[in-house]
Structure formats: C-alpha cells, structure tokens
Amino acid sequence: MAQDQAPASAFHAGHRVVSIDVFRGLTILAMIFVNDLAGMKDIPGWMKHYPADGDGMTFVDVVFPAFLFIVGMAIPFALRRRLERGDSAARLGSHILVRTLGLLVIGVFMVNMGGLNPEATGMSRALWTFLVFVSVILVWNAYPKSSGRRPWIFHALRAAGAAGLILLAALYRGGAGEQLHWMRTSWWGILGLIGWAYLTSCVAYLLFRRQMAAMMGVLGLLILLYMGDKSGALDWLPFIRRYLWLGGQIGGHSSITVAGIIVSMLFFEHSPAPTPGKRIVWILVFALGLSVAGSLLDPLYGINKNAATPAWCLYCSAICCVIYVFLYWLMDLQGITRWSFFVGPAGANPLLAYILPSIFYSFLSIVGIEYLRHHLNSGGVAIARSVVFALAIVGLTGLLGRLGIRLRL
C-alpha cells in the first residue's frame, strides 16, 4: 500500500508502533551511558551536562527530556487499551495515582542515597542502596499469574519488599551532628520528576483525548505556568511550592510529556494527519513551531536544564520530534528493524535497566572490588568503558527479563 494511502486504523490502539519501543530503548541506553560517563575524568564538555549556571545545552541535556517525551507518547496507547477493556473512571484514576506514587517513592529513596550517614544509619551507603533496590524489585516485579500456591509466594515477596522499604526508611539518617535528619525531599529525583509529569499529562489527556487543539492549548498553558511561577503569580501557594516546583516540575517537564502525547494522538481517530506521509509532515511542522516558540522565549530565561526553562523544554521537544520522525520512517514505514535488537530489553523493561547500574556499583562496593573506581575512568578509555557498560546493562536487563524480573509500576 502506498505511504499516503495507509488508513489511520492501521495504527489503532491494539497495534504496536515499533518506533515508540525503540525510541524508549535508545533513550534508556543513552541515559545509562551519560550517567556512567558523568563520573569520569577528562571528558569533552559536549559529553557532559552544560554547566548548571550556564545558558545552553549539550546532547546530554536532551536525554532526560527524551524520556519524558516517550512517556507522553506511550500514554495514549496505554490508557486507550485500558478504556477499551472497559476500565471505569475510578479504576483508571487509581492506576494512574498508584503508578505516580510508585515513581515518587522510588525517586525519594534515590535522592536520599547520596546523603546517608553510615554511622548513624548503622550500615554503609552501598549496603543501604543495594537493599533499597532489592526491595524495589520485590515490590514492583511483574509476577506471573498462575493458580495453586505460587500466587501466595508472589504476595509474600511483594510484602517482604514493602517491609524492607519501610525498615530502610526508618533506619535512614542523613547529615551529621546537629544537622542529622531523616529522609527528606530536597527534590524528587529523576523518577519523581517523571511521576509528576506523568500525572499531569494523564489528567490532561483524559480530559481532551479527542481534541488535538485542546492538547495544544494545554502545552501552551504549561509554558505559561512556568512564566507565572517565575513572575511571582503563584506566591499565594506557599505550602504547595514548598514541596513542588510548579513552574518547572509541573509546567516545564509536563510540557515535554504533553508534546509527546500530541505526536502520539496522530495515530488515532480524529487525527489531523490520517496517513503516514501527512503524519511525518505534521510532526516536522510541529517541531518547527516548537523551535520557533523556543527561540522567542530564549531571551527571557535562556536555555537551562536545571531551571527547566521554556526554551530548553521546547527545543528538546522539537529535537525529539525530529528523532522520532526518522525512527518512524525507518522502522514502521520501511520495515528496517533488525538493527534495534540490542535496545529491545531496555525498551521493554526500562525501570530495571535504569536502576541496574546503581545495583551493580553498590554490589562492587559491598564486596570490596575497587578496580573500576581507580581504572578505566579517564579520557577516551572512559568513554569506551561507559559504552560497553551501557550495552552490558541492557544485555543484563534482557537476561533478567527472561528469568522473570520485569518491573511494572
């Protein structure tokens, strides 16, 4: 069938768009690579995050937004499947809230890992970290459904994981001396930030899932939320602002996720681009519009990842659109998919792939293996090491997945 004659129904909710899964896998692979490389020495500046107080970005600063974007792309497919199964509004809302809570909880644990006081806690930072992630796996593993006694075993494992997290949280002490403290949310962590953006974007999609223009309006409103927060218009919400950065975490990050939703909505009925060719043109024009909007807002706040400025959000969303168009053309339209086998495990099991590096390094510390701490950590050798490490983690994710460890929030 000719490219411009493919019906919109070819990409109905039951159909899997291969390029979305591959985009997710590539993003997780890149995230593992850049996180590992961040601890190395003598690395070119363009392979690190742009300085926190600077005005600009490198490709590294696009990795986190790419994951936000792909979370947004997945939302319409995931929620539509639940709606078509007959989930009630209460059941759907419960699913969204539980998933958000899971991301927030894991994010808070991860934020507190670096500040742990070993003496006051009663265990090393590495051991506490390792036990946290073992508990996370026990709680959020997707155990198989079966009859007989086995479900009781799975319930027991999940309960043990929950008890482990509660105990580890109770034991935790950070800081020192008079500044000793329990776990706290100095920020929500990467997973927590994803959780807030996911919640905001799900609400927006459920309200306007058949109205593309309305979702475009939500995107604009989220950018305006950032501007309002910066101007002081939200100062009348001090309690909320104490725990939640409305401008950045809700406005900025959610705008990227909503941009992903908008692109994904093109694959459903009521799409303004019902054929593949028109879909590609629409996404590219959307990317151009995002870029123009980013350039107009750049003089106001600059480009800054840590500040989640509108220009950074819009530019990153535009870049993601262009990358996705290429993957969509290559994989879904041309059928060139075999090359992507190496990112499949990360795309299918992203949470496990994300936490495995921390599990690996904490385990090495527990058993006293210090070789990697002092070797292969500088210059080109370090870059090669991080590439191999990222690929190995994805491979290990696939192996563990085959053994039944698949994390689902």
Side-chain angles (χ1 to χ4, degrees), residues 30 33-34 37 46-48 57-63:
F33 169 72
V34 300
L37 196 63
W46 62 271
M47 300 188 77
K48 295 185 176 182
M57 66 182 186
T58 67
F59 89 92
V60 179
D61 298 310
V62 183
V63 176

Side-chain angles (χ1 to χ4, degrees), residues 6-27:
S9 59
F11 293 97
H12 199 257
H15 183 91
R16 198 155 194 94
V17 183
V18 178
S19 49
I20 294 179
D21 294 327
V22 173
F23 194 4
R24 183 189 300 110
L26 287 172
T27 301

Side-chain angles (χ1 to χ4, degrees), residues 140-189:
W140 282 284
N141 190 41
Y143 296 106
K145 298 179 179 179
S146 60
S147 58
R149 295 182 178 180
R150 291 183 65 189
W152 293 104
I153 297 175
F154 302 145
H155 290 316
L157 290 173
R158 203 181 300 277
L165 288 177
I166 293 171
L167 177 60
L168 290 166
L171 292 174
Y172 180 92
R173 295 295 183 274
E178 296 182 357
Q179 301 300 318
L180 206 63
H181 59 81
W182 188 59
M183 289 176 59
R184 59 188 184 185
T185 55
S186 56
W187 67 298
W188 293 98

Side-chain angles (χ1 to χ4, degrees), residues 25-216:
L26 287 172
T27 301
I28 289 293
L29 179 67
M31 190 176 291
I32 297 168
F33 169 72
V34 300
N35 286 347
D36 193 65
L37 196 63
M40 307 301 176
K41 299 179 292 186
D42 302 322
I43 303 300
W46 62 271
M47 300 188 77
K48 295 185 176 182
H49 287 293
Y50 203 84
D53 58 350
D55 180 5
M57 66 182 186
T58 67
F59 89 92
V60 179
D61 298 310
V62 183
V63 176
F64 171 56
F67 195 77
L68 288 173
F69 187 87
I70 201 65
V71 166
M73 286 203 70
I75 285 173
F77 287 91
L79 296 188
R80 287 290 293 271
R81 280 194 293 270
R82 287 185 167 273
L83 289 169
E84 291 182 353
R85 283 206 308 258
D87 280 12
S88 64
R91 186 179 180 87
L92 193 58
S94 174
H95 166 76
I96 293 169
L97 290 175
V98 168
R99 193 176 190 192
T100 300
L101 181 61
L103 289 167
L104 294 178
V105 167
I106 302 172
V108 170
F109 270 95
M110 293 183 72
V111 163
N112 283 276
M113 288 173 180
L116 180 140
N117 183 319
E119 291 76 20
T121 302
M123 67 180 72
S124 69
R125 181 180 297 120
L127 179 58
W128 191 86
T129 298
F130 183 81
L131 292 176
V132 164
F133 285 126
V134 169
S135 299
V136 165
I137 291 173
L138 290 175
V139 172
W140 282 284
N141 190 41
Y143 296 106
K145 298 179 179 179
S146 60
S147 58
R149 295 182 178 180
R150 291 183 65 189
W152 293 104
I153 297 175
F154 302 145
H155 290 316
L157 290 173
R158 203 181 300 277
L165 288 177
I166 293 171
L167 177 60
L168 290 166
L171 292 174
Y172 180 92
R173 295 295 183 274
E178 296 182 357
Q179 301 300 318
L180 206 63
H181 59 81
W182 188 59
M183 289 176 59
R184 59 188 184 185
T185 55
S186 56
W187 67 298
W188 293 98
I190 293 297
L191 293 180
L193 298 181
I194 293 171
W196 286 118
Y198 169 78
L199 175 62
T200 304
S201 302
C202 282
V203 171
Y205 175 72
L206 290 175
L207 289 174
F208 306 115
R209 60 182 181 272
R210 298 182 186 278
Q211 304 173 46
M212 179 71 78
M215 289 302 296
M216 296 285 281

Side-chain angles (χ1 to χ4, degrees), residues 34 147 162 188 229 243 272 318 349 375:
V34 300
S147 58
W188 293 98
D229 188 38
Y243 297 100
N349 205 352
H375 298 81

Side-chain angles (χ1 to χ4, degrees), residues 225-226 228-238 241 246-247:
L225 181 64
Y226 181 95
D229 188 38
K230 291 289 288 186
S231 70
L234 303 179
D235 289 349
W236 57 281
L237 298 169
R241 286 163 55 86
L246 294 172

